[in-house]
Structures are given as structure tokens and as C-alpha cells.
Amino acid sequence: MSDAIDTQGRCLCGAVTLHVSAHDPHVDVCHCQMCRVWSGGPMMAVTASRAPRVDGEADVAIYASSDWAERGFCRHCGTHLFYRLKSGEHYAIPVGLMGDTSPWEMTLQIFTDEQPQYYAFANDTRTMTGQEVFEMFTGDASS
């Protein structure tokens, strides 16, 4: 995993700091309605190679957003900290927490079948529908 990036980010009020080891410099974009409601637009995130170390863990609130995933946020300022699967170690960390100092590159857009028509990115990325995402994580085409 020679491309791994160790970085950190913090919430707006500074109560929570995440120490993240990202798989690589790739940014994934999720266009699903839940992410758009949660983040006010598409969620742009890096994938952590393991659970982030959290300073200020008592200040993190967790919302079970589905049967399979949870979202973490700062209980004081509301900053979105992560999306994680309940099974396994998949953590998606909003790239905005990490600042602009690392070599981030948008490479994947998911739930493109839910993307509204009022925006589009010019980046040349791989795209996946919601069904393709479920199949990738579960191996089940009927999810």
C-alpha cells in the first residue's frame, strides 16, 4: 500500500480531530439522495484504510442512517466526520476535512442514477449506479 496517505482533519469547532490513513489519493463522490441531504450536495470522500484515530471521541455523535451504515458528526458544531459500514472497516471521510495540502484526485462517482440534473463534474471518472455499488459490497444483485 505504498500510495497510502496519512493525514488529519478537524471539525469546525476543533473538538474532534481525525487521524486518517487513506488508501490512496483518490476522492470518491456519492450522489445518493441521503448523502446529498446530509452534506448539502454530493459527498466527496476519501476511503480510510482502517478506522481513523479520533481525538475528542466523546464529542462524536453517531446516526444509524440505514441498516448497514452509520454517519458520525461533531455533537457541538455538526461537522460531518465519517460514513462507515456497520460490518467491516469501510470508512469514507469527507475530503474537505483534510484541507488542500494532499494530492487528492477525483476518480469515482457512485449512485450516478440518483444524480440530479442541475450539476455535473467535468472530471473524467469511473461511474457506478446504486445497484452496482450494492453488488460490489454485497455480491448480491438484488439489494
Side-chain angles (χ1 to χ4, degrees), residues 8-135:
Q8 68 181 29
R10 67 182 53 215
C11 66
L12 286 170
C13 71
V16 180
T17 300
L18 296 181
H19 301 271
V20 178
S21 180
H23 282 300
D24 50 42
H26 298 164
V27 174
D28 300 336
V29 177
C30 183
H31 299 284
C32 80
Q33 180 173 1
M34 193 174 301
C35 279
R36 287 185 286 115
V37 168
W38 188 49
S39 63
M43 181 176 169
M44 299 178 161
V46 298
T47 301
S49 55
R50 62 183 174 274
R53 191 181 91 232
V54 180
D55 295 339
E57 194 165 357
D59 297 311
V60 176
I62 304 295
Y63 171 65
S65 56
S66 67
D67 291 340
W68 60 87
E70 301 173 321
R71 295 165 191 266
F73 57 94
C74 174
R75 67 175 68 250
H76 302 288
C77 66
T79 298
H80 303 156
L81 302 170
F82 56 80
Y83 165 94
R84 69 181 177 202
L85 295 180
K86 290 180 180 179
S87 64
E89 289 287 310
H90 176 82
Y91 277 77
I93 312 293
V95 70
L97 291 179
M98 270 40 97
D100 297 328
T101 59
S102 295
W104 307 118
E105 177 188 1
M106 184 190 308
T107 57
L108 174 66
Q109 296 182 63
I110 62 173
F111 286 87
T112 54
D113 52 324
E114 294 186 29
Q115 180 180 347
Q117 297 300 309
Y118 59 83
Y119 70 84
F121 293 110
N123 305 59
D124 183 21
T125 67
R126 178 177 167 216
T127 61
M128 297 176 74
T129 65
Q131 185 66 33
E132 291 169 327
V133 172
F134 285 122
E135 289 172 11

